């Protein structure tokens, strides 16, 4: 039973409460509504799609074998201020724009122009070449397979006949254009593959555009048929010959090998009614839509090739991008990334080849003049410095060992060797996930 409380006690307690309230009221700070923090602004502007210049007069061509000309930071700066830099940007972004809001199945092979069908035939010939150059027994090694060199040599041998089907005007034109194709599948010496080799394939297509073989009307079929066919072919080459990722950890964390499929894939999804950037974490969406959209296809392939479950552990950049508000933000980010992380990175662009169709800027170095070996003969990747004593290799502190071509086995090789040894397939969780 509660004790009785008289009126005097109640009155005394009421006065204490009133006194406390009055004292506290004067000390409380005035409440003001919180101001929402302004959104962070990306200092890099979104690169626009500049009009692609018309092909030059064929009479002005003096074909030559392409060679490296970006051999120093100064050469790189000259390139970034040149018309060729603008040409490459315009071509890549025009291809990406041609894929906007389109599924891969929206373009059919039988409806494609003759030149595009010839390119698809060339990629099929290269696929057949893999069968004729089987991988050598490596005894469980996960590093590059030496049979890849036989594969590249076979491409060199067959290439002139393939290019004659495209209607190139002369043997010298075939020599210049085919060099880009030869360097589109990886480095013969180092047996690795990266975004620079992927860019060579794009430049090969750009050369055909400069020769009026691939006019802008073919861009949708290139973006939705040729590029995916090349990516699928590269997956087969990577898994057959265990190509090592050029740059050890991958430059951005998007993928061990590729970048451009993410740019083109983001354009495909630009105004999609229900697929959102966050949908890459939905396995059902990846399964049902991965064959129609390059971005989803790349994520699906990346997840299948990793032994750890969860993009936040294996591709943290993709995981971060999935939080974007819409695909427009993703596509803009991919454009910025291409400018900064591909064309803007010297270790990548140092392997870029210049000829007549894709000319170097005035004042850029030449391999023979500074004593640098041709790309095909160089065993060590990365940056060189040009000084009084000639060219020398430079170690970079801002890269994951990619300056020296440090050998890093691919996850594809690890999975293939695990299958050969009868190990269980599937993903495993890391202990603290």
């Amino acid at each position: 039973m509660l004790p009785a409380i008289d009126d005097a006690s109640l009155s005394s307690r009421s006065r204490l409460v009133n006194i406390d309230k009055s004292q506290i009221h004067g000390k409380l700070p005035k409440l003001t509504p919180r101001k929402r923090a302004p959104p962070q602004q990306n200092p890099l502007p979104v690169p626009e799609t500049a009009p692609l210049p018309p092909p030059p007069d064929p009479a002005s061509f003096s074909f030559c074998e392409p060679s490296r000309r970006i051999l120093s930071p100064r050469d790189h700066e000259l390139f970034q201020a040149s018309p060729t830099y603008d040409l490459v940007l315009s071509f890549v972004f025009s291809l990406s724009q041609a894929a906007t809001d389109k599924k891969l199945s929206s373009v059919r092979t039988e409806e494609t122009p003759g030149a595009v069908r010839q390119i698809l035939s060339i990629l099929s010939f290269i696929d057949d070449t893999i069968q004729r150059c089987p991988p050598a027994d490596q005894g469980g090694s996960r590093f590059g397979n030496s049979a890849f060199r036989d594969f590249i040599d076979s491409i060199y041998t067959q290439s002139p006949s393939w290019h004659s089907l495209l209607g190139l005007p002369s043997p010298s034109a075939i020599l210049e254009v085919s060099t880009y194709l030869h360097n589109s599948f990886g480095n013969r010496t180092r047996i690795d593959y990266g975004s620079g080799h992927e860019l060579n394939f794009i430049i090969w297509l750009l050369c055909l555009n400069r020769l009026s073989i691939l006019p802008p009307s073919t861009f949708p079929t290139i973006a939705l048929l040729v590029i995916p066919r090349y990516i699928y072919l590269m997956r087969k080459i990577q898994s057959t010959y265990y190509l090592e990722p050029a740059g050890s950890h991958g430059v951005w964390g998007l993928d061990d090998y590729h970048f451009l499929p993410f740019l083109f894939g983001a354009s495909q999804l630009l105004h999609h009614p229900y697929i959102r950037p966050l949908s890459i974490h939905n396995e059902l969406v990846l399964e049902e839509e991965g064959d129609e959209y390059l971005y989803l296809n790349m994520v699906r392939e990346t997840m299948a090739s990793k032994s750890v479950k969860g993009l936040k552990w294996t591709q943290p950049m993709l995981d971060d991008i999935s939080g974007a508000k819409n695909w427009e933000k993703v596509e803009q980010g991919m454009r910025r990334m291409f400018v900064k992380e591909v064309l803007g990175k010297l270790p990548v662009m140092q392997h870029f080849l210049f000829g007549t169709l894709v000319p170097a800027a005035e004042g850029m170095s030449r391999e023979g003049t500074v004593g640098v070996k041709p790309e095909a003969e160089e065993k060590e990747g990365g940056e060189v410095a040009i000084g009084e004593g000639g060219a020398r290799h430079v170690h970079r502190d801002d890269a994951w060992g990619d300056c020296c071509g440090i050998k890093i086995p691919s996850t594809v090789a690890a999975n293939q060797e695990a299958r050969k040894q009868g190990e269980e397939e599937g993903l495993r969780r890391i202990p603290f996930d």
Side-chain angles (χ1 to χ4, degrees):
M1 184 174 179
L2 294 174
I5 301 176
D6 56 19
D7 293 342
S9 297
L10 285 174
S11 177
S12 174
R13 291 186 182 187
S14 177
R15 285 196 301 273
L16 287 173
V17 171
N18 292 334
I19 292 171
D20 290 341
K21 283 183 178 180
S22 63
Q23 292 176 346
I24 294 172
H25 183 71
K27 296 179 180 180
L28 287 175
K30 185 179 179 182
L31 296 178
T32 56
R34 291 183 179 180
K35 293 183 179 179
R36 183 173 295 178
Q40 294 183 350
Q41 298 295 326
N42 194 316
L44 294 176
V46 179
E48 299 294 334
T49 305
L52 189 67
D57 182 6
S60 64
F61 294 147
S62 179
F63 298 106
C64 64
E65 184 175 3
S67 61
R68 292 183 298 169
R69 301 290 297 275
I70 301 178
L71 303 176
S72 68
R74 178 179 176 274
D75 294 332
H76 193 207
E77 292 170 2
L78 290 172
F79 165 70
Q80 289 177 302
S82 70
T84 297
Y85 176 85
D86 296 334
L87 175 66
V88 173
L89 271 186
S90 177
F91 184 69
V92 170
F93 291 159
S94 294
L95 289 179
S96 179
Q97 195 167 286
T100 301
D101 298 332
K102 295 184 177 72
K103 293 183 177 182
L104 296 181
S105 62
S106 64
V107 178
R108 298 182 180 180
T109 306
E110 57 271 13
E111 299 174 355
T112 58
V116 175
R117 287 200 299 271
Q118 293 291 357
I119 291 173
L120 293 173
S121 296
I122 290 174
L123 295 179
S124 295
F125 294 151
I126 295 171
D127 196 340
D128 294 339
T129 303
I130 300 175
Q131 308 302 322
R132 296 194 296 272
C133 301
D137 184 14
Q138 300 207 137
S141 172
R142 298 176 179 182
F143 292 102
N145 194 293
S146 60
F148 177 71
R149 299 188 177 107
D150 298 330
F151 166 76
I152 293 294
D153 292 342
S154 182
I155 290 178
Y156 270 83
T157 303
Q158 301 174 78
S159 182
S161 62
W162 296 341
H163 284 80
S164 63
L165 298 175
L166 291 169
L168 269 65
S170 64
S172 59
I174 290 177
L175 173 64
E176 176 166 336
V177 175
S178 64
T179 299
Y180 292 103
L181 182 67
H182 300 161
N183 288 275
S184 298
F185 304 102
N187 183 275
R188 183 187 181 279
T189 303
R190 298 189 294 271
I191 315 182
D192 63 8
Y193 178 92
S195 55
H197 303 104
E198 179 185 71
L199 184 59
N200 277 329
F201 185 76
I202 296 296
I203 302 302
W204 179 62
L205 298 174
L206 174 59
C207 289
L208 298 178
N209 169 263
R210 298 294 85 190
L211 292 170
S212 301
I213 295 173
L214 292 177
S217 60
T218 63
F219 287 3
T221 55
I222 293 174
L224 299 171
L225 272 181
V226 175
I227 299 299
R229 180 69 181 91
Y230 167 71
I231 297 300
Y232 301 153
L233 174 62
M234 279 313 310
R235 287 177 185 169
K236 187 173 182 180
I237 294 172
Q238 290 153 8
S239 62
T240 300
Y241 301 114
Y242 295 179
L243 300 191
E244 298 157 19
S248 64
H249 285 236
V251 182
W252 322 276
L254 289 178
D255 183 80
D256 288 342
Y257 298 110
H258 297 285
F259 172 76
L260 288 175
F262 292 97
L263 171 61
F264 297 159
S267 294
Q268 283 184 277
L269 292 162
L270 202 56
H271 305 106
H272 199 280
Y274 62 85
I275 298 179
R276 299 289 181 262
L278 203 60
S279 300
I280 66 170
H281 299 284
N282 189 320
E283 294 184 9
L284 183 60
V285 172
L286 297 180
E287 182 64 30
E288 292 185 347
E289 304 288 354
D291 293 333
E292 291 287 4
Y293 298 99
L294 273 176
Y295 195 101
L296 303 181
N297 188 280
M298 293 299 297
V299 173
R300 186 176 68 184
E301 183 68 17
T302 295
M303 292 178 65
S305 67
K306 304 295 182 179
S307 60
V308 175
K309 186 177 179 63
L311 286 175
K312 64 180 177 180
W313 307 116
T314 59
Q315 314 304 130
M317 179 69 78
L318 281 177
D319 185 65
D320 289 344
I321 292 172
S322 69
K325 183 178 180 180
N326 50 49
W327 287 108
E328 182 179 1
K329 295 290 186 182
V330 176
E331 195 264 352
Q332 291 174 354
M334 293 298 166
R335 285 178 175 242
R336 290 190 181 101
M337 204 176 293
F338 179 71
V339 169
K340 182 180 179 181
E341 304 292 350
V342 181
L343 299 187
K345 284 296 172 85
L346 183 56
V348 176
M349 295 308 296
Q350 200 167 241
H351 304 283
F352 192 86
L353 302 173
F354 295 86
T356 302
L357 298 169
V358 184
E362 188 70 28
M364 292 174 66
S365 305
R366 295 180 181 273
E367 289 177 332
T369 305
V370 299
V372 177
K373 293 181 179 180
E375 170 73 2
E377 300 177 14
E378 188 178 76
K379 295 182 180 180
E380 196 174 48
E383 184 176 333
V384 296
I386 310 300
E388 294 180 0
R392 63 181 178 83
H393 180 71
V394 175
H395 294 282
R396 294 178 59 89
D397 297 325
D398 60 346
W400 288 95
D402 55 345
C403 74
C404 300
I406 295 175
K407 295 169 73 65
I408 300 293
S410 69
T411 56
V412 173
N415 286 341
Q416 292 291 94
E417 285 302 314
R419 291 192 187 100
K420 289 179 182 178
Q421 296 172 15
E423 296 180 9
E424 288 187 14
E425 297 183 26
L427 299 173
R428 62 177 176 83
R429 291 185 177 273
I430 59 177
F432 50 84
D433 186 13

